[in-house]
Structures are given as structure tokens and as C-alpha cells.
Amino acid sequence: MATFRYKLLLLLCCRVAFAAAPNPLHSRRLNAETLRHFSALLRMDTSNPPGNETEAARYLAGVLQREGIPVKLLGLDPARANLVARIKGDGSARPIAILGHTDVVPAQRSKWSVDPFGAVRKNGFIYGRGAVDDKEIVTAGLMVMLLLQRGHVKLHRDVILVAEAGEEGATGVGIDFLVSRHWDDIAAEYALAEGGSAVAQGGNVRYVAITTAEKVPRGVRLIARGLSGHASRPSPDNAVLRLAAAVARLGEWRTPMRLNDTTRAYFERLAGISPPPDADRYRHVGDAARGPEIDRYFERYEPAHYAMLHTTLVPTMLKAGFAFNVIPSQAEAYIDIRALPDEDMPRFYDEMRALIADPNVEIEPRKPTRPATPPSRTDTAMFRALEHAQRRMFPKAITLPAMLTGATDMAQLRAKGVQAYGFGPIVEAGDPGAAHADDERLAEASLYKLVEFLWYTVLEAAGTAAQR
Ligand SMILES: [Zn+2]
């Protein structure tokens, strides 16, 4: 009871605090401005490669500087600038960094129903490459900076906006460059970036996924060697056969299932909003007795959940042979590995070797692109601020700490000790215009809600008590 009263008190305090907050958000003029910046960014073709992120960085710099917010353009390559802007707090707590990337994956124009760089508005959506990855986050970050500055909001920590280049596979010019050469410019206690989303069904937000962890991208090249020769004279010492057998063995391997703090909390909370049969599975996923059966169910029907529980291996490319009638001496396969955050990779590679059981098949690990890091904590002021923003905006939903099966620039930040959280816009479950898809799109209303969500979060985590 005591704890309940305490919680109620907290809740009331939050309410009062929120009620006192300046709310410049529900204005048409602000939405029009948000849409203008978002559309301008979508119209810039920052397909990576080659990127050309400097155009976007310059645009953002212009907007911020006009409002008196100091900016820096930092680049390893003049065409691929990163922007860092900072609004100062009183220094009593360490900064918050809001990160969004300005590069996008390429678009296959012929597969789109609209110009992927036209920022076309249609049926309540805005279409464009980068609409949900990641120009919506860049725009929301920009708008929150403008609102903080215009409202003369007193902050107890600095708020930093980082618009990065090269997130889509060229981190050398983006996050790696910033972390290794300009750490002082972006160092923060907390970071907010892409990766999460508010998942809606029939227009109602069911849950707000905040990513606190991500899987670790690793990969190997399998190199099988054998005897070359004339294809009219078969030999068991054939590189193609060795490779095929090795790939088949890996394909049959069921790596162990494992939960961590994030996924445990994820399944527990998800159970609370799921229909009985699903809830039952989510509640018992960690059971010694029922776990294996639930795991098999996930493998078949809920592959995203299966991927959250296992280090996975997926063959993606094969390379062998050069002539129809020649047995090649070498054949190669590429295996994309997505490791659980705590995976012991040298041991994992040893297990792969033992499984393949062929000394003529070599495993060559690729150079890691992202560091392995532990999950960010859910007992921090920032996580609470995210939960409060959810409760305020989507009171019927819940906040789900989640682990991304993909990877983001937050890996590099977590490796430096930053508590990093992925958030994102409202998306309708199953919407075809997802990240990296043809006809990528974002609902207009969702863009404005994203600004609001980030605003409440940042205001609570960085504003002084009087401001909140
Ligand atoms: Zn992205």
C-alpha cells in the first residue's frame, strides 16, 4: 500500500509538472514548420553511397544558426559532414545527445509509385526515402532544439543534436569518426536515437518500444578447398561439395536460446497486453520445461521473437566456380551472424568448426563493424522520462524495453558508457512503407506526435524542475 501511495504521489507530481509545462506543441504553425523541414530533408538525395550528407548538414546548420544555436560541421570527408549543435544547460548534470542520421539507403526508383526524393504528400502520408529511417528523427531533434531555444528553457544538462553521416554502412565518416576524433563534442550521459517505435493497431498505439539493446553484427566467410580438375572425373575432394555440406550443417544448427534483462522485461510486459495464448507463451518463454516448445513455435510463427532469443546464422552469398566443366579449387560462402550481446565469439567460431567437422573448410571472421555492448539500463531518469511521455500521450499503451535484431550507431555510444535508447514514430503494424522498403512513408500525424514525444522526454530529463 505504501508503495502504491508513493507511486500515486509520483504520478500526481508528474501530472502537476506536466500541466505546468509550456505546451507550444499543438499549433498549426509549428506543424507546418515541422513538415517544411522534413520535406526539405527528404528532397535531398543523400543515398549512401555516396551520401552527400553535407547538403543536409548545411541546411540544418542554417536553420539552427538563424535561431542563435551554435553549430559545428565535422567531417572526415568534405561531402559527408556531421552536424553537432548544442544548447547549454547549467552543467549540474551530464548532457543528452539526440542522434539522427542524414544518409539513407538507395532507392530503386522504378519500384516506387512516387518520386523517392519528392516528399510527396498523399492520403495523410509523406513518401520518401528516409521518411522512417531516419529523417523523421533528425527533424524531431531539430524541432526540439528550436523549441528549447525559443522557450528559453532552463536546462540542467546540455542538449546536443547530432545529425550524422554514414550510418548505413559507412560509419567511418560518421559515428566512428565522431567517437574517435570529436568525443568531447558529443559526450553524453544519455542518448536518444532511432530503433524504437510506437506500434499501433487500427490507429491505437498498443505499445511504445524503446530499444535498450541490440544484437551484434558479426559475419564469417567460409572457404572450402579441394582438388581442382576436369569435371568429367569426380572426386570427393571437391570444394563445392565441402562448402555445400558445411552450409547445410550450419543451417540445421539450433543455437541455444537465451534471455537477457531487456528481453526478459520485454516478454513479461508484452504478455500483459496480449491475448491469452500469446500471453501464456510470453510468460513461460524462460521455463526450463516449456521453453523449447515455445522456442519452436517462435521459429515457425514469430521469427522476430526467435531472433531475439538466439545468435542467428544466415547464409547470404555463395561464390564458386568459373567454368561449367572445371572443378574449382576453392568455394566460398558468406554467413551473416547476429550475435546475442553476451555471445563469446571465439567459442562460437570453435563450435562452428566442430559442427562443420572438415579441416578443409576454413572460417574467416569478418572485421567487426560494431562493438558488442551490454543493454542500457531501464532504471535511469531517461528511461523514466520516456515512460512518462508514453503515459501522457498514449495512456492505454505500455512501454516495452526491446532488443533490436539489427544494429545502429548506438552500439558505438554504449561502448563508451552512454545509456542509449532507441525511440521512433507511430507505425501501423504491418505497414508496407517501412524502413528500407519501396514507397517508404510516414503518416503526417505521426511526425507531429514524434516531435511531441521527444519534447516531453527531453523536457523531463533535461529541464529544471521549474520548467517541467
Ligand atoms: Zn537508420
Side-chain angles (χ1 to χ4, degrees), residues 15-361:
R15 283 272 153 77
V16 172
F18 282 135
N23 198 339
L25 293 161
H26 303 126
S27 99
R28 278 210 185 148
R29 197 195 289 175
L30 187 83
N31 288 352
E33 188 184 1
T34 304
L35 182 63
R36 196 171 68 243
H37 294 314
F38 185 55
S39 304
L41 289 168
L42 287 179
R43 287 193 191 104
M44 293 169 196
D45 182 350
T46 50
S47 299
N48 173 12
N52 288 324
E53 295 93 333
T54 297
E55 191 187 355
R58 283 214 184 105
Y59 175 86
L60 296 166
V63 176
L64 292 157
Q65 280 170 329
R66 273 197 293 281
E67 309 263 346
I69 301 171
V71 305
K72 281 186 188 178
L73 292 189
L74 304 169
L76 185 62
D77 174 338
R80 312 202 67 175
N82 301 274
L83 168 130
V84 181
R86 182 185 293 258
I87 296 180
K88 286 242 169 229
D90 66 18
S92 57
R94 288 190 293 136
I96 292 175
I98 304 165
L99 283 92
H101 61 89
T102 51
D103 63 320
V104 296
V105 291
Q108 246 186 316
R109 275 176 194 267
S110 61
K111 305 278 187 200
W112 283 59
S113 67
V114 294
D115 176 0
F117 299 100
V120 174
R121 287 172 80 187
K122 211 170 65 173
N123 305 328
F125 289 89
I126 310 145
Y127 288 77
R129 177 54 89 219
V132 288
D133 184 13
D134 186 34
K135 289 178 173 172
E136 84 292 12
I137 301 268
V138 175
T139 304
L142 171 69
M143 294 313 295
V144 165
M145 295 298 273
L146 299 180
L147 287 167
L148 291 173
Q149 179 79 351
R150 287 173 193 165
H152 308 286
V153 178
K154 294 231 176 322
L155 301 169
H156 70 274
R157 6 168 143 253
D158 294 3
V159 178
I160 307 168
L161 174 67
V162 187
E164 331 154 78
E167 195 275 342
E168 302 286 0
T171 51
V173 298
I175 194 68
D176 289 329
F177 165 72
L178 290 172
V179 167
S180 65
R181 305 263 294 269
H182 295 281
W183 179 243
D184 288 348
D185 288 302
I186 64 164
E189 178 171 13
Y190 299 123
L192 296 169
E194 67 179 327
S197 57
V199 177
Q201 235 163 18
N204 299 313
V205 173
R206 279 186 76 219
Y207 60 86
V208 174
I210 298 296
T211 59
T212 52
E214 53 192 50
K215 290 182 82 177
V216 189
R218 292 290 179 257
V220 297
R221 191 160 70 119
L222 297 185
I223 308 157
R225 295 188 177 87
L227 205 61
S228 64
H230 198 289
S232 66
R233 293 177 58 192
S235 148
D237 186 14
N238 175 314
V240 177
L241 289 175
R242 288 186 186 284
L243 184 76
V247 171
R249 274 180 210 134
L250 293 180
E252 279 159 19
W253 187 21
R254 294 295 165 267
T255 55
M257 174 177 124
R258 207 154 59 237
L259 287 157
N260 58 38
D261 287 350
T262 294
T263 49
R264 210 170 281 118
Y266 169 86
F267 283 111
E268 269 166 28
R269 292 195 191 189
L270 187 61
I273 55 159
S274 299
D278 293 336
D280 181 58
R281 271 189 290 275
Y282 300 151
R283 265 189 205 107
H284 295 98
V285 65
D287 281 12
R290 290 194 50 202
E293 157 223 324
I294 293 168
D295 193 37
R296 278 194 296 278
Y297 180 90
F298 285 166
E299 186 180 12
R300 194 163 158 75
Y301 301 106
E302 296 178 13
H305 285 156
Y306 182 84
M308 284 170 68
L309 294 166
H310 297 260
T311 292
T312 56
L313 303 91
V314 175
T316 51
M317 291 191 284
L318 295 170
K319 214 164 85 183
F322 52 93
F324 179 68
N325 54 357
V326 177
I327 301 172
S329 58
Q330 190 165 315
E332 297 173 11
Y334 292 80
I335 314 285
D336 186 340
I337 298 174
R338 301 298 171 125
L340 291 173
D342 63 348
E343 193 67 73
D344 176 348
M345 289 317 293
R347 209 181 69 189
F348 190 82
Y349 296 139
D350 284 343
E351 283 181 63
M352 284 174 72
R353 274 183 205 102
L355 207 74
I356 291 170
D358 183 343
N360 289 313
V361 178

Side-chain angles (χ1 to χ4, degrees), residues 353-421:
R353 274 183 205 102
L355 207 74
I356 291 170
D358 183 343
N360 289 313
V361 178
E362 184 191 339
I363 293 178
E364 184 188 84
R366 290 181 63 198
K367 195 171 161 268
T369 52
R370 306 270 190 199
T373 58
S376 293
R377 297 199 319 267
T378 52
D379 61 352
T380 59
M382 180 54 89
F383 193 80
R384 280 192 295 278
L386 288 158
E387 283 186 303
H388 291 157
Q390 169 261 304
R391 270 182 229 155
R392 181 189 168 99
M393 292 181 62
F394 315 112
K396 288 189 178 147
I398 58 163
T399 296
L400 269 187
M403 180 168 73
L404 265 187
T405 53
T408 73
D409 284 354
M410 280 188 288
Q412 276 85 337
L413 297 177
R414 289 197 182 105
K416 294 284 281 183
V418 179
Q419 298 294 309
Y421 304 95

Side-chain angles (χ1 to χ4, degrees), residues 18-25 151 153 455-456 459 467-468:
F18 282 135
N23 198 339
L25 293 161
V153 178
W455 168 252
Y456 293 137
L459 200 64
Q467 295 287 338
R468 277 181 269 136

